[in-house]
Amino acid sequence: MKLTTTTFVSVDGVMQGISGRDEDRSGGFERGGWTTPLWDNEARTYVSEVYQRADALLFGRRTYEIFAGSWGVMVDPGINPIAKALNTMPKYVASTTLTDPQWADTTVLSGEVVAAVGELKAKPGGELQVHGSGALFRWLLDNDLIDEMNLFFFPVVVGQGTRLFPDTGSDRALDLVGSRATPTGITIQVYRPAGRPQ
């Protein structure tokens, strides 16, 4: 399977608390829900299409708990294509502290995560997808495990919060393989890691 990531990011690089005011208040974050007014049908359709390509999902613990507490408890997930995908496919969580996942079809990867993700990628299928999961995203990128990344840039400066890329880290070249803009100004960039910049 190809490992792909999908991340919603503000112009200033924030990826924290995208959907709801109280979704993630860690670090004193008070500006949650900043993506909500900017969604349009084109962006929603694209996200739904991304989920339809998935054969399995990989989460960090915090994002897993957010998704399980919202998508995982929907009474009728069949009415929403994203909820249906999330509730019917295998889910993996990279965590050394989660011991009893409540969401069906969840496996905790608590040992050697590089090897475990390598084994998942070696399985036949379409995509092993990571949604959100900032700490996991950065770790996967540092370990050269990401094959393709979907970055949704929202036309807003949040001004505080956890950023997708840290202030210091490895430099990386990215090949742009797709780009589009939606009516509300969301730009969707699809990149493939391409080694060190030349």
Side-chain angles (χ1 to χ4, degrees):
M1 286 187 282
K2 176 168 71 171
L3 193 151
T4 66
T5 64
T6 300
T7 313
F8 305 149
V9 187
S10 69
V11 171
D12 58 336
V14 174
M15 59 155 316
Q16 182 175 358
I18 60 167
S19 296
R21 178 168 283 297
D22 297 320
E23 177 181 299
D24 179 0
R25 288 189 168 257
S26 62
F29 186 66
E30 298 176 347
R31 300 176 186 176
W34 51 268
T35 66
T36 305
L38 296 165
W39 279 102
D40 56 44
N41 287 335
E42 191 172 325
R44 282 186 190 92
T45 299
Y46 188 85
V47 170
S48 292
E49 291 169 357
V50 167
Y51 275 97
Q52 301 317 304
R53 298 192 309 251
D55 285 319
L57 297 161
L58 175 62
F59 294 100
R61 179 175 180 157
R62 180 173 294 170
T63 302
Y64 172 81
E65 289 177 340
I66 291 169
F67 275 49
S70 56
W71 296 103
V73 296
M74 290 184 78
V75 176
D76 184 7
I79 63 171
N80 179 300
I82 295 173
K84 182 177 181 183
L86 285 166
N87 283 285
T88 58
M89 68 181 61
K91 291 165 281 295
Y92 299 90
V93 186
S95 175
T96 57
T97 57
L98 182 65
T99 56
D100 186 26
Q102 300 297 308
W103 201 0
D105 298 318
T106 297
T107 302
V108 178
L109 307 177
S110 59
E112 178 51 53
V113 179
V114 171
V117 172
E119 289 174 15
L120 291 172
K121 287 181 63 172
K123 291 183 176 183
E127 294 183 16
L128 171 62
Q129 293 184 355
V130 176
H131 292 268
S133 302
L136 177 62
F137 170 93
R138 291 183 288 278
W139 182 86
L140 291 166
L141 191 62
D142 285 345
N143 284 279
D144 297 318
L145 291 167
I146 296 175
D147 297 306
E148 196 167 274
M149 57 182 81
N150 298 289
L151 297 178
F152 285 62
F153 290 98
F154 285 75
V156 62
V157 174
V158 178
Q160 73 166 157
T162 303
R163 284 165 170 72
L164 179 60
F165 297 103
D167 290 337
T168 59
S170 301
D171 55 344
R172 300 191 174 272
L174 302 173
D175 286 337
L176 181 67
V177 295
S179 180
R180 68 193 325 176
T182 75
T184 59
I186 300 168
T187 58
I188 304 166
Q189 311 294 334
V190 182
Y191 292 105
R192 289 188 186 130
R196 297 289 305 277
Q198 299 298 317

